[in-house]
Each structure stands twice: as structure tokens, then as C-alpha cells.
């Protein structure tokens, strides 16, 4: 399919400097000191003291510590301790002990003799057992923190045993005094399961048993309990005392009701989202102090009037239910400030409901069946700042009613039936910062839209707009999305104000470009140009022929991004014609102040690293795993303190007669879904509730507490596979998996070309933002052509490296620039690699069959000016590439040609070097992926060639690797340990 589209990406060129200062944890009990055992003086142990040995590299507790009976606080967090001495009881005066983030497997029995200890914290270890009677014997213990360990219910039950008196009887009936003043217990993220009943610990005020597998929890006897967190279990039964209850968080369970007796009159926060509730709890009528309710993602069909009338309720979240009716409210002034009712089946709002919400600041009504939001007699809702009503049936009349809201700052009305923007709207919305009208029926934008002086984001893609007004005087405008319209002519001087950071005019089929406009404007601003139509190539000084056009690959790629445009922390990797016949995709999401730089570095490095890892015979079968580990090593100094989540997808096949295989490697909570004909879908990455925060890329200074061990999935693709969805972490927090699959299915329909794939990705971004997502998000949609995935009995012609040397009309072997950005998701499990059986595919409601032919994506790039490290990171919306792959590849190829032997001579294969780090060539620079392709594809590269490599080829330095003792790797396979040491033990200083 030929596509007429042109995109301009306008970027600022001011680099932003990083602040590399180290930020210490704010909850330290004392200043962190890196003390060795010999640094502990006798004075430290004789006087009453607080000793901090955090992050000191300790593998055992120094013996001289036990001679300090006056020690009151001992902080030995973030070390390498595997056990504590049993004579720890000699520290008689110890009151507080912190053992977090070590490698402890058990706590010694001597702890029960520390009668003055009131705080014990041993989070993020490997503890499986506790001393018998621990809780009963420690009479002063008030706070116990054991989250993120391996404790089972039997171990906790043994620790909770009552002390035995001298006559052999337990302290039955002695009350809470005999069991101590224990008030805070944190068992989050362990292996608790079954039924838990707590009756003896009446002093307990705070309990956290979230992220376990508990089926029943009975706490009715704990009358002092104020805070309960039991999210992400398998709860079907929950019984509580409401006498002191203030906070209840029980999200992501299987609850149909919650028993609370007496009613919780002091309750302030209630979160019962992601359960199986069919009606609201009856005891809510007594919760006069309740300020926040979240019952989203349940099975509710209505909301009672009593909920709206609670005097202090400011947040009500009831989205993703089946609510058809809302109560009629007569009260003229409700306390609600945030009302979220997205993804329900509301056909209309009750009269005067919104007029009664005089304090309303945010209203979310996206994905309902509304034709009208405000009635004609309504007020102005002067306090409303944010309205989200995408994916409804709103028309021009509804838009004129919304014009009565004078102080709006953010308005999302995407995917409705709006045909024009009335002038009254422009006059009323003087404070508007964000306007999203994508997916409507607009044919033009009013000239007066330039009067919106504060407007920063204007997204009107997927309409029928033929021309755009002069917006170059809108000084606040940063994002302008006019893609997927019917634009015929553009003038950059009139379309790009000075502060614009992202302009998207791709996929406009009638667009023709005047070369003089680009020549004039590119001298003022750095920008990237992509022409996917082929008809505008004469306007672009550098626009190579793209090999993917001739390869007829059985997939097309669509992508979209949105979020904060100043420092976008997510980078995508998009190479749909990787090595001519494969696909390589990814999403990399950085964190911290160096997040944007870390994600971009990962995106640039992965193509080269994957090609290198596939040449190593001993680990070639696990090349996805070692590509991620190599990427972790590549971060070096940038990855010491900043972490990153990543997901990488690679589609390949060993020969044309073999089926395609999809491999997914992930570290973090991003998600990848594979949809099949018939409404089935499989998640190929770990889901967020099961993520492990200690499995991320980067943060090498935290090794071995933080490791980059990836979760790898492998699927053989067939004719029934339809499309692949990959998205960053925050996207899945707002959009359910089944809804994402359904939306893509509807958008792609039967015409699965590159335009439809991009439209599907944009629609998913619109959906997430319509549901309230303010965070940066990134989405990839790969549409698969079922028949094209079928193995072929005929040979397939692939462009050879020899042709690339002499043919000037072709681009690089990999088809795209190595600068394309990446992405990724979830952490690895103990078994880091597996294949997905058909049983993993579960039927999804509302998923329709698709068929038809797919067209290949044609992408030609041109680059002008330098890249900017600031706003250029946004790279929102389609077809934005930073480098001209053709020019850079041909330039380096010319430099490389004199050193290459003639094609056809017999030589040793580069893969015959047995994977040695010394014999392997590592290519650096912007086009590393291309030369990695040559290394794999050219059988004529010899060892002699590597000795005569040009300046841009260098071998990896051994100084970049740091070997870690074998015992630090726990239960790692010994056969893989030597390679693991090279990747996980990354040096913490730049060498």
C-alpha cells in the first residue's frame, strides 16, 4: 500500500545537564558510614551508642560487636550477611535492629532473649523460618518488619506461639500484656497462604499482609486495628472489627463482601477496587468521616445515594464497572472534588447531579454512552479544571454546553461525534492548557483557536481536517498532532511556533510539500523528517530507498507516545526490518534524574548487542537473556544509581521453511500481549502484581541486591496470530488487557496496513489518557499477517552485503537506524526462560476475528542538525527518527571497504571464534547494528581482517568487566556463572 504522509519533528537544541549527586535514603536512623570491622573502636561499644554499618560490604557480623552491651541501635542494612550469630543475645541493651536487604535465610533463636528490643526490621532477605515463640517472648517488641521474604504461614504461626510457663501451661487468658505491645507488623510480599485468624494480639494497630496468597483473613478480634493492607491476595472472606479502623486497602482480591462489625465510624480511606463486588457495603452509611472511596474494576450496576451524601467524601472512583444508573441528588452542595466513572454503561446523568457538585475539580466520564453531559438548566461548574469524556457519543450540542465551564485547563473529548468547534468555546476556555479532539469528525479548525494563549497541547489526529490555521503566534504551544487527516499543503513557518517541541503531520494522504519551506525553516530549527509516501522525496536532500518495501515482511508496525515533553524517560526500539527478514522491538523506561539518558542508551545498544550475542555458540540458545545482561553492562556509570525497566521482542526464523518464533525478554512491569483469532490472548511478560522490585537494569551499585536477570518467553507464531501489543508500565495501570485487545481488534479490522497499526497505537494512548493517565506512556502495535507467517517451500531472496557495497539505492542491512528507541517490562522469575503453551491463551470477551492483507511499512528518513537532549526526548507520535541511516552507513562502509576481502573467497566464519571475548569484534558508533549485521552475515570476515579494522572498530576492554565471587550468585547454574559474573558485577566507577 502506498502511503502519502510526511512528518516533521521539531526539537529544541539546548542540552540539559544532569545532576549526578547521590541522594541518601531519608529514613536512615543514623548517618551512613562505610565502616570495616577494624574501624570499630572500644569507645563505640562501651558507651550507650547507635552504630551504623549500612553498606559496608559485611559478610559476617564482627565478633567485637557482641562485647558492646550498651549498644542501643544497630543498623547493618544493605550488606551481604547470610546469618547472624546465635549469641546475639549478648547485646542486652539493644532496642532497635535493622537488617534490611541482606541475604539472611533465618533469624537466630538468641533474638528472643533481647528483652529491650522494640523495633526489628529484616525486609528484603531470604528468610524462611523464625525462632519459635519470637513474638510471645519479646515483651518489648512493638514493630516487626519482614516484608519481601519467603515466609510461609507455618513459620509465622510458630513465631506467634505463646510463651510456656514453668508449670508447663501457656499463658491462656492473660490478655495482651503477656504477649507484649506489638502494634506494627509488615508481612507484605511473602508466601503466606490459606486462612489466617488473629485473636491474641489485641494491641495490633497496623497490619500489612499484601502480595501473598491468603484466601481467608479473620481479624474481628483486633479492636485496636487502625490500618489494614491486604492487597493482591486471593481473599474471598474478610472479617474485621470497625471499632478503630481508619484505612482499609483490599484491592486485587476476589471479595464479594466485607464483614465489618461494629460499623467503622472512623474509616477515612476505603479501597476495594479489582474485586468481585456486586453492591456497595451496607455499613458505608455509618462512615461519616470517609474521604476517599475506590470501588473501580468490580461488577457494580448502581451506586447508592448515601455514598454521594457522605459529608467529607472528596474522591469517588467507580470506573470499570457496569453502572447504568446514578441516584438523583437533591442536595445543592456535595463535597465531591474528584468523580471518576469511566468505562461504565451510563447513557445519561441524573438531572442536577453535576450542579450539586459545586466543588468538583475533576470529572471522568470516558467510555460510556453519553450524548449529553450538562443539562440546559445547569450552572457553570466554576471549580472544574479537568474533564475527561472521550469515547462517548457527544456531538456539537454537547460541546456548546461544555462551553459553560469557564475555568477548564484540560479537556479530553477524543473519539466522539464532534464536527466543529463553536466560537463560544474559544471565548470561554481562556485558561485551557490541553485540548484533545482526536478521532472526531472535524473538517477544519477555527482561525480563532489562536486566541487560546495558554494552550500547550493540541491533539486532533484521526479527523478530516484539510487545512490548519496559522498557529505560529501561539507561544505556549508545545505539541501539535495533525496526523491521520486530509492536509494538502503545509507551511512550517506558519505551523511551528518557537516553543513547539513536537509536530506530527504524518499519514496525511493528500499532502504535498514545497521544498523551499523546508530549506528555509531547517536553518532555524533542528528537526527530523520522515516521508512514507515516496512522492515527496524530491523535497528531502537525503531520503534513501527502504529495503523493507521489497521484502514483503508479514507484519506492519504502529507506535505512539505521550506524556511530559520536557524530559521523556521512555525510549522505543523500532526496527521492523531488522537484518532484512526479522523484527526487533522494545520499550525502555528509565527512572531517576538520568532516566532519559539511560533509556536512550539502552535503545541504541540493544541491536548491536543482540547481533553479537547470537554469534556466541555456548549461549546462542539464550541470546535474548544475555542481550539484556549485556545492555545492563553497557550502562556502566550512568546505571550506577539510575535503574530502568525494559521489554524486548525479536521475531526470526532459522530458514524460510521454518515458522517464525517470537521471543520476549523483560525486566520490569511493562506488558506484552499476543492476540489470536477467536478472541484469545496471552501475556508474554510478568504481570505487575508479581513484579520483583529488585530485578531491574542498572543500579549496579546495589548489586547483588538488585540484579537484571530477565524473564524470557518463546512462542512459535502461526496463521492464527493477529497482533502484538507492547506498552510501558503506566499504560497497564489504566487500561485493562482485554479492553486493549478489543480496541486494537476493532481499529485494525480487516485492513491491517501500517496506517491502521499506527491508528490503533494512537487510539490506545487516547484511551489511557481518557482514563486519567498523566504519566509518560509508550505503545507499540505489531499487526501480523497470518498467511505471511506460514513457512514457505520456496527460497527467499535477501539482499546480500555484496549488493550493499555496490548498489547506491539501498540502505543498511538492518533496514533502519540503530538510534530507534526501545521498551520493556516485567522482571524475571526463578525460571527465567520458558515456552508459552496454548493453555496460556484465555478467551477475551468482545474480541472479533480479523483477516485481510497487510502492507509493509515504508520509512525514509532525513536528518538535519544535531540532536537535542532535552525536549527532543519526547518523540511523541509517529514516524520520528533522529538519524539518516543511509548517509551514515554508506560513509562508514566506504571507510571499511579497503579492509574487507572480496566476497566469494573462502574464509573462516566469525562465529567459529568460539565466542571468546578476545576474538569477538565489537562495533561502536551510531551504526553499530549495521556492522553487527555484517559480522553475522559475511562469512568472509577473517581474523586477519579484525587486526586491520578501521578506527571506528574497537574491541571491548577487559577493564569494563568486574568479576564477582561465585558465592554471591546464590543458586545460579554453575555452567552459566562465569558469564553471569561478567554482566551482573558491573564496576561502579567508569574505568
Amino acid at each position: 500500500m502506498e502511503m502519502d504522509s510526511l512528518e516533521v519533528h521539531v526539537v529544541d537544541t539546548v542540552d540539559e545537564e544532569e545532576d549526578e549527586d547521590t541522594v541518601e535514603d531519608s529514613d536512615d536512623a543514623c548517618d551512613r558510614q562505610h565502616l570495616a570491622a577494624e574501624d570499630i573502636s572500644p569507645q563505640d561499644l562501651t558507651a550507650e551508642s547507635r552504630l551504623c554499618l549500612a553498606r559496608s560490604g559485611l559478610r559476617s557480623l564482627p565478633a567485637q560487636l557482641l562485647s558492646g552491651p550498651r549498644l542501643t541501635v544497630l543498623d547493618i542494612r544493605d550488606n551481604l550477611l547470610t546469618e547472624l550469630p546465635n549469641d546475639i543475645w549478648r547485646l542486652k541493651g539493644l532496642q532497635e535492629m535493622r537488617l534490611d536487604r541482606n541475604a539472611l535465610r533465618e533469624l537466630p533463636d538468641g533474638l528472643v532473649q533481647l528483652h529491650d528490643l522494640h523495633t526489628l526490621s529484616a525486609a528484603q532477605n531470604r528468610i524462611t523460618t523464625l525462632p519459635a515463640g519470637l513474638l510471645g517472648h519479646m515483651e518489648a517488641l512493638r514493630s516487626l518488619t519482614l516484608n519481601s521474604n519467603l515466609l510461609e504461614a507455618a513459620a509465622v504461626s510458630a513465631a506467634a506461639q505463646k510463651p510456656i510457663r514453668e508449670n508447663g501451661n501457656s499463658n491462656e487468658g492473660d490478655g495482651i500484656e503477656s504477649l507484649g505491645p506489638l502494634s506494627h507488623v509488615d508481612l507484605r510480599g511473602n508466601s503466606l497462604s490459606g486462612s489466617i485468624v488473629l485473636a491474641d494480639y489485641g494491641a495490633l494497630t497496623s497490619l500489612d499482609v499484601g502480595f501473598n496468597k491468603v484466601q481467608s483473613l479473620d481479624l474481628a478480634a483486633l479492636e485496636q486495628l487502625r490500618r489494614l493492607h491486604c492487597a493482591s491476595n486471593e481473599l474471598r472472606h474478610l472479617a474485621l472489627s470497625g471499632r478503630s479502623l481508619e484505612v482499609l486497602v483490599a484491592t486485587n482480591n476476589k471479595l464479594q463482601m466485607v464483614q465489618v462489625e461494629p460499623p467503622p465510624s472512623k474509616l477515612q480511606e476505603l479501597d476495594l477496587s479489582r474485586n468481585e463486588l456486586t453492591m456497595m457495603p451496607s455499613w458505608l452509611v455509618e462512615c461519616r468521616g470517609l474521604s476517599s472511596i475506590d470501588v473501580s474494576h468490580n461488577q457494580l450496576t448502581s451506586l447508592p445515594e448515601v455514598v454521594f451524601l457522605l459529608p467529607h467524601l472528596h474522591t469517588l472512583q467507580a470506573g470499570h464497572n457496569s453502572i447504568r444508573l446514578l441516584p438523583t441528588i437533591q442536595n445543592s452542595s456535595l463535597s465531591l472534588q474528584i468523580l471518576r466513572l469511566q468505562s461504565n454503561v451510563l447513557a445519561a446523568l441524573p438531572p442536577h447531579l453535576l450542579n450539586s457538585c459545586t466543588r468538583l475539580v475533576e470529572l471522568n466520564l470516558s467510555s460510556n454512552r453519553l450524548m449529553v453531559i450538562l443539562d440546559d438548566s445547569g450552572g457553570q461548574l466554576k471549580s472544574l479544571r479537568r474533564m475527561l469524556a472521550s469515547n462517548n457519543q457527544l456531538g456539537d450540542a454537547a460541546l456548546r454546553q461544555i462551553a459553560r465551564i469557564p475555568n477548564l485547563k484540560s479537556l479530553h473529548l477524543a473519539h466522539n461525534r464532534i464536527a466543529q468547534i463553536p466560537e463560544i468555546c474559544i471565548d470561554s476556555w481562556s485558561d485551557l492548557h490541553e485540548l484533545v479532539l482526536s478521532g472526531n469528525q472535524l473538517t477544519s479548525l477555527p482561525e480563532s483557536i489562536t486566541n487560546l494563549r495558554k494552550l500547550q497541547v493540541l491533539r486532533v489526529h484521526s479527523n478530516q481536517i484539510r487545512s490548519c490555521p496559522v498557529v505560529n503566534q501561539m507561544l505556549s504551544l508545545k505539541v501539535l498532532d495533525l496526523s491521520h487527516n486530509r492536509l494538502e499543503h503545509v507551511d512550517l513557518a506558519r505551523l511551528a511556533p518557537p516553543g513547539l517541541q513536537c509536530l506530527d503531520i504524518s499519514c496525511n494522504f493528500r499532502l504535498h510539500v514545497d521544498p523551499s519551506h523546508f530549506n528555509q525553516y531547517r536553518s532555524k530549527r533542528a528537526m527530523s523528517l520522515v516521508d512514507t509516501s515516496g512522492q515527496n522525496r524530491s523535497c528531502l536532500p537525503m531520503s534513501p530507498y527502504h529495503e523493507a518495501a521489497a521484502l514483503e515482511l508479514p507484519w506492519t508496525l504502529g507506535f505512539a507516545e505521550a506524556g511530559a515533553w520536557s524530559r521523556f524517560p521512555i525510549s522505543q526500539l523500532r526496527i521492523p526490518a531488522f537484518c532484512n527478514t526479522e523484527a526487533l522491538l522494545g520499550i525502555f523506561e528509565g527512572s531517576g534524574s538520568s532516566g532519559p539518558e539511560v533509556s536512550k542508551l539502552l535503545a541504541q545498544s540493544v541491536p548491536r548487542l543482540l547481533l553479537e550475542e547470537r554469534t556466541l555458540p555456548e549461549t546462542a540458545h539464550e541470546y535474548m537473556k544475555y542481550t539484556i545482561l549485556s545492555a545492563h553492562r553497557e550502562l556502566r556509570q550512568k546505571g550506577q544509581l539510575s535503574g530502568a525497566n525494559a521489554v524486548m521482542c525479536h521475531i526470526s526464523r532459522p530458514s524460510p521453511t521454518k515458522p517464525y518464533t517470537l521471543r520476549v525478554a523483560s525486566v520490569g512491569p511493562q506488558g506484552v500481549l499476543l492476540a489470536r483469532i477467536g478472541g484469545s490472548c496471552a501475556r508474554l511478560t510478568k504481570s505487575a502484581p508479581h513484579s520483583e522490585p529488585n530485578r531491574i537494569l542498572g543500579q549496579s551499585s546495589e548489586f547483588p541486591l538488585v540484579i537484571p536477570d530477565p524473564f524470557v518467553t518463546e512462542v512459535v507464531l502461526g496463521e492464527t496470530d493477529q497482533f502484538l501489543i507492547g506498552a510501558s508500565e503506566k499504560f497497564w495501570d489504566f487500561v485493562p488487557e482485554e479492553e486493549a485487545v478489543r480496541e486494537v481488534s476493532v481499529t485494525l479490522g480487516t485492513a491491517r496496513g501500517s496506517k491502521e497499526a499506527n491508528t490503533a497505537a494512537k487510539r490506545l494512548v487516547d484511551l489511557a489518557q481518557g482514563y486519567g493517565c498523566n504519566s509518560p506512556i509508550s505503545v507499540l502495535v505489531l499487526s501480523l499477517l497470518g498467511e505471511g507467517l506460514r513457512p514457505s517451500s520456496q527460497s527467499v531472496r535477501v539482499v546480500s552485503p555484496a549488493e550493499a557495497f555496490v548498489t547506491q539505492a539501498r540502505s543498511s542491512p538492518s533496514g533502519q537506524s540503530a538510534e530507534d528507541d526501545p521498551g520493556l517490562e516485567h522482571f524475571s522469575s526463578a525460571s527465567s526462560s520458558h515456552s508459552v503453551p496454548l493453555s496460556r491463551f484465555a478467551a477475551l470477551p468482545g474480541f472479533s476475528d480479523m483477516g485481510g492483507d497487510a502492507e509493509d511499512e515504508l520509512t525514509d528518513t532525513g536528518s538535519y542538525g544535531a540532536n537535542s537532549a532535552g525536549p527532543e526526548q519526547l518523540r511523541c507520535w509517529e514516524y520520528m527518527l533522529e538519524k539518516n541511516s543511509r548517509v551514515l552507513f554508506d560513509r562508514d562502509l566506504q571507510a571499511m571497504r579497503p579492509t574487507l576481502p572480496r566476497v566469494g573467497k573462502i574464509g573462516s566464519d566469525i562465529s567459529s571464534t568460539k565466542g571468546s571475548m578476545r576474538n569477538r569484534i565489537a562495533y561502536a558508533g551510531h551504526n553499530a547494528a549495521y556492522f553487527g549485521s555484517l559480522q553475522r552475515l559475511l562469512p568472509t570476515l577473517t581474523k586477519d581482517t579484525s587486526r586491520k579494522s578501521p578506527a571506528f572498530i574497537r574491541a571491548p576492554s577487559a577493564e569494563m568487566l568486574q568479576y564477582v565471587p561465585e558465592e554471591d550468585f546464590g543458586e545460579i547454574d554453575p555452567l552459566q556463572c562465569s558469564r553471569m559474573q561478567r554482566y551482573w558485577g558491573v564496576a561502579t566507577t567508569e574505568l
Side-chain angles (χ1 to χ4, degrees):
M1 180 179 68
E2 184 175 81
M3 297 176 55
D4 290 346
S5 60
L6 176 72
E7 178 195 84
V8 182
H9 184 200
V10 183
V11 300
D12 291 333
T13 57
V14 180
D15 292 332
E16 298 185 17
E17 297 182 357
E18 290 300 315
D19 183 8
E20 299 291 342
D21 295 338
T22 301
V23 179
E24 296 292 340
D25 292 342
S26 60
D27 61 345
D28 281 351
C30 55
D31 295 333
R32 289 194 168 178
Q33 305 173 28
H34 298 272
L35 299 177
E38 57 270 16
D39 296 327
I40 304 174
S41 64
Q43 291 78 11
D44 293 331
L45 303 176
T46 55
E48 183 173 337
S49 59
R50 301 163 58 93
L51 183 60
C52 180
L53 296 175
R55 294 186 180 179
S56 300
L58 295 177
R59 295 180 179 272
S60 61
L61 202 62
Q64 57 266 43
L65 275 181
L66 302 179
S67 61
R70 301 295 299 278
L71 197 64
T72 59
V73 176
L74 178 59
D75 185 352
I76 47 178
R77 290 176 290 179
D78 300 295
N79 283 288
L80 303 173
L81 299 174
T82 57
E83 62 179 0
L84 293 177
N86 194 49
D87 55 350
I88 192 75
W89 58 267
R90 294 170 58 185
L91 297 175
K92 296 292 187 180
L94 197 62
Q95 300 177 14
E96 181 177 337
M97 179 184 291
R98 299 190 177 274
L99 308 168
D100 305 333
R101 295 178 294 278
N102 279 278
L104 299 173
R105 297 185 181 275
E106 61 180 6
L107 297 179
D109 294 336
L111 277 179
V112 299
Q113 301 183 41
L114 297 177
H115 300 296
D116 293 334
L117 193 69
H118 60 71
T119 300
L120 175 60
S121 180
Q124 299 185 38
N125 282 278
R126 304 172 187 173
I127 299 173
T128 58
T129 59
L130 297 173
L134 174 69
L135 304 181
H137 286 82
M138 301 183 72
E139 300 175 354
L141 190 64
R142 297 196 302 268
S143 175
L144 177 64
T145 304
L146 294 171
N147 62 285
S148 302
N149 279 284
L150 302 174
L151 291 170
E152 296 183 353
V156 177
S157 177
Q161 291 178 359
K162 299 178 182 180
I164 305 299
R165 291 186 174 185
E166 294 181 358
N167 59 8
N169 298 323
S170 60
N171 291 340
E172 297 284 353
D174 285 355
I176 63 174
E177 291 78 14
S178 63
L179 296 176
L182 186 64
S183 61
H184 171 83
V185 174
D186 188 350
L187 296 172
R188 177 186 178 94
N190 279 276
S191 300
L192 305 180
S193 62
S195 300
I196 294 180
V197 180
L198 288 180
D200 297 320
Y201 294 86
L204 202 62
T205 61
S206 176
L207 176 62
D208 191 339
V209 291
F211 294 87
N212 284 281
K213 298 180 180 180
V214 181
Q215 289 88 32
S216 176
L217 188 59
D218 188 345
L219 308 176
L222 303 184
E223 296 186 351
Q224 302 299 317
L225 189 66
R226 296 201 299 265
R227 304 178 65 89
L228 173 63
H229 290 258
C230 53
S232 298
N233 278 275
E234 300 175 1
L235 286 175
R236 294 186 179 275
H237 172 73
L238 178 60
L240 302 171
S241 170
R243 191 175 303 278
S244 305
L245 194 63
E246 298 175 357
V247 175
L248 173 57
V249 178
T251 182
N252 197 23
N253 282 286
K254 300 178 181 179
L255 294 170
Q256 296 182 356
M257 62 178 299
V258 179
Q259 300 176 9
V260 183
E261 184 64 35
S265 58
K266 299 180 180 180
L267 191 64
Q268 301 176 8
E269 178 183 345
L270 175 64
D271 187 351
L272 296 175
S273 60
R274 301 181 187 275
N275 278 283
E276 300 176 3
L277 299 179
T278 57
M279 57 185 302
M280 297 288 283
S282 58
W283 40 260
L284 281 177
V285 66
E286 303 290 339
C287 303
R288 307 291 293 176
L290 198 57
S291 61
S292 176
I293 297 178
D294 188 351
V295 288
S296 56
H297 296 275
N298 277 282
Q299 301 171 16
L300 302 175
T301 58
S302 63
L303 293 177
E305 181 180 1
V306 63
V307 173
F308 289 87
L309 298 179
L310 292 173
H312 300 288
L313 186 68
H314 67 73
T315 300
L316 175 58
Q317 301 186 62
H320 300 277
N321 281 281
S322 300
I323 299 175
R324 297 179 178 274
L325 298 173
L326 294 176
T328 300
I329 305 298
Q330 302 296 331
N331 194 321
S332 60
S333 180
L334 300 180
S335 61
L336 273 176
Q337 299 180 25
I338 298 175
L339 179 58
R340 296 172 179 164
L341 298 170
Q342 69 274 15
S343 191
N344 280 286
V345 288
L346 293 170
L349 298 181
H352 310 296
L353 173 62
L354 295 183
N355 296 336
S356 300
C357 300
T358 57
R359 306 176 188 177
L360 199 62
V361 176
E362 178 183 333
L363 175 63
N364 193 333
L365 296 169
S366 295
S367 293
N368 279 280
R369 302 174 182 176
L370 297 172
M371 301 180 65
V372 176
I373 293 180
L374 301 176
D375 53 59
D376 294 333
S377 62
Q380 289 188 329
L381 293 177
K382 295 182 179 180
S383 62
L384 191 62
R385 298 293 184 270
R386 190 174 188 223
M387 175 180 282
L388 309 174
S390 298
N391 201 18
N392 279 283
Q393 302 176 22
L394 303 176
D396 296 345
L399 193 60
R400 283 190 291 270
Q401 293 174 342
I402 296 174
R404 298 204 308 264
I405 306 176
N407 298 318
L408 277 176
K409 291 188 176 181
S410 180
L411 179 60
H412 286 245
L413 297 175
H415 305 286
N416 280 284
R417 300 177 179 178
I418 299 172
Q420 63 177 352
I421 304 177
E423 293 292 336
I424 187 175
C425 295
I426 306 299
D427 297 336
S428 300
W429 298 336
S430 58
D431 290 334
L432 199 63
H433 287 67
E434 183 178 20
L435 177 60
V436 179
L437 293 171
S438 303
N440 280 281
Q441 302 170 10
L442 297 174
T443 57
S444 64
L445 296 177
E447 295 290 337
S448 59
I449 199 170
T450 57
N451 294 332
L452 299 177
R453 299 297 183 184
K454 297 181 180 180
L455 193 65
Q456 298 179 8
V457 177
L458 176 59
R459 300 183 62 198
V460 288
H461 70 78
S462 305
N463 280 281
Q464 302 175 28
I465 298 175
R466 298 180 180 273
S467 62
C468 183
V470 179
V471 297
N472 61 342
Q473 298 302 317
M474 300 179 68
L475 303 182
S476 298
L477 193 63
K478 292 181 172 62
V479 175
L480 177 59
D481 188 354
L482 293 165
S483 61
H484 295 268
N485 279 285
R486 297 185 178 181
L487 294 178
E488 298 180 355
H489 302 281
V490 294
D491 184 348
L492 283 180
R494 304 176 63 185
L495 208 58
L500 194 69
Q501 296 172 357
C502 180
L503 170 63
D504 187 0
I505 52 176
S506 63
C507 295
N508 282 275
F509 299 122
R510 302 185 180 185
L511 185 62
H512 291 267
V513 181
D514 185 349
S516 62
H517 293 168
F518 291 99
N519 293 332
Q520 177 183 5
Y521 196 77
R522 69 189 176 114
S523 63
K524 302 177 183 179
R525 298 287 299 278
M527 56 188 176
S528 298
L529 305 178
V530 177
D531 177 13
T532 60
S533 66
Q535 68 180 34
N536 295 311
R537 289 200 183 106
S538 60
C539 305
L540 305 179
M542 304 172 186
S543 52
Y545 174 80
H546 199 284
E547 290 180 8
L551 295 176
E552 298 183 358
L553 296 174
W555 51 71
T556 56
L557 177 64
F559 54 94
E561 291 181 324
W565 42 86
S566 57
R567 292 185 56 78
F568 198 68
I570 306 175
S571 294
Q572 290 185 349
L573 175 63
R574 304 182 300 268
I575 311 182
F578 184 65
C579 294
N580 296 328
T581 61
E582 304 174 356
L584 181 59
L585 313 173
I587 301 176
F588 299 87
E589 186 170 2
S591 61
S593 60
S594 300
E597 287 73 20
V598 167
S599 65
K600 185 175 182 180
L601 178 60
L602 291 170
Q604 295 172 347
S605 303
V606 161
R608 167 177 56 85
L609 296 174
L610 185 141
L611 290 168
E612 292 175 357
E613 292 299 332
R614 292 171 72 178
T615 66
L616 302 181
E618 68 271 21
T619 55
H621 63 289
E622 292 186 297
Y623 70 92
M624 292 290 286
K625 175 178 182 177
Y626 286 104
T627 297
I628 293 293
L629 296 177
S630 297
H632 168 77
R633 182 191 60 193
E634 287 283 315
L635 294 179
R636 282 180 269 170
Q637 188 171 7
K638 284 188 177 294
Q640 290 182 27
L641 300 177
S642 296
N645 297 321
V647 65
M648 181 178 68
C649 304
H650 183 224
I651 301 178
S652 64
R653 60 179 177 181
S655 70
T657 60
K658 301 291 184 179
Y660 283 97
T661 299
L662 167 65
R663 296 176 178 88
V664 179
S666 58
V667 182
Q670 290 105 328
V672 174
L673 302 179
L674 176 62
R676 286 180 169 171
I677 293 175
S680 61
C681 175
R683 186 182 180 102
L684 306 183
T685 53
K686 286 285 188 178
S687 57
H690 303 288
S691 62
E692 297 178 9
N694 61 334
R695 291 182 185 265
I696 59 176
L697 296 181
Q699 291 193 355
S700 51
S701 60
E702 298 289 337
F703 176 83
L705 304 173
V706 174
I707 58 175
D709 190 18
F711 176 78
V712 180
T713 305
E714 184 174 309
V715 179
V716 177
L717 297 178
E719 297 182 29
T720 59
D721 295 307
Q722 290 189 300
F723 55 83
L724 194 72
I725 303 175
S728 55
E729 173 187 4
K730 290 299 181 182
F731 174 85
W732 300 111
D733 290 344
F734 289 86
V735 181
E737 295 178 3
E738 62 274 12
E739 188 168 358
V741 171
R742 185 169 59 249
E743 290 292 336
V744 173
S745 174
V746 172
T747 305
L748 292 180
T750 59
R752 292 180 288 167
S754 56
K755 175 183 180 295
E756 289 75 19
N758 275 287
T759 303
K762 282 179 172 286
R763 187 176 180 91
L764 291 181
V765 168
D766 290 337
L767 194 64
Q769 291 190 320
Y771 288 166
C773 181
N774 288 323
S775 304
I777 51 177
S778 180
V779 175
L780 293 171
V781 174
L782 189 71
S783 177
L784 302 172
L785 181 59
E787 294 182 359
L789 298 174
R790 181 187 306 164
S792 174
S793 58
Q794 301 177 355
S795 61
V796 177
R797 180 180 181 274
V798 179
V799 179
S800 68
E803 291 176 285
F805 296 157
V806 297
T807 306
Q808 299 299 321
R810 298 198 179 274
S811 63
S812 66
S814 62
Q816 288 193 14
S817 169
E819 297 288 333
D820 285 356
D821 290 356
L824 137 67
E825 187 195 344
H826 264 304
F827 65 95
S828 159
S829 65
S831 176
S832 60
S833 178
H834 74 284
S835 297
V836 175
L838 293 179
S839 59
R840 279 285 306 276
F841 287 79
L844 294 176
F847 184 80
S848 60
D849 294 353
M850 295 187 302
D853 298 327
E855 296 293 336
D856 294 323
E857 180 185 33
L858 312 179
T859 308
D860 296 333
T861 60
S863 179
Y864 311 96
N867 287 340
S868 126
E872 183 265 344
Q873 293 290 336
L874 175 60
R875 289 190 298 277
C876 291
W877 308 296
E878 312 350 300
Y879 301 107
M880 301 177 187
L881 306 177
E882 294 82 2
K883 300 291 183 183
N884 185 307
S885 59
R886 167 69 185 275
V887 172
L888 295 176
F889 177 69
D890 287 351
R891 182 197 66 188
D892 290 339
L893 200 58
Q894 288 292 336
M896 186 178 179
R897 182 186 295 178
T899 68
L900 293 175
R902 293 183 180 179
V903 177
K905 295 290 183 180
I906 299 176
S908 61
D909 194 304
I910 192 70
S911 64
S912 66
T913 58
K914 299 182 180 180
S916 170
M917 293 293 293
R918 294 187 301 273
N919 296 332
R920 191 174 62 176
I921 300 175
Y923 300 101
H926 293 298
N927 296 279
Y930 309 147
F931 298 111
S933 298
L934 291 178
Q935 171 183 333
R936 186 178 69 86
L937 296 175
L938 274 180
T940 56
L941 281 175
T942 65
K943 297 179 181 179
D944 294 336
T945 304
S946 65
R947 298 191 188 103
K948 302 177 182 179
S949 301
F952 58 82
I953 300 180
R954 61 177 177 83
S957 171
E959 295 178 342
M960 295 166 56
L961 307 177
Q962 176 186 359
Y963 285 86
V964 178
E966 189 169 338
E967 58 267 24
D968 289 347
F969 293 92
E971 299 178 355
I972 297 174
D973 186 348
L975 297 178
Q976 300 179 0
C977 187
S978 59
R979 288 213 66 196
M980 295 288 189
Q981 292 171 346
R982 300 177 185 174
Y983 297 104
W984 292 5
V986 177
T988 57
T989 57
E990 185 76 357
L991 299 178

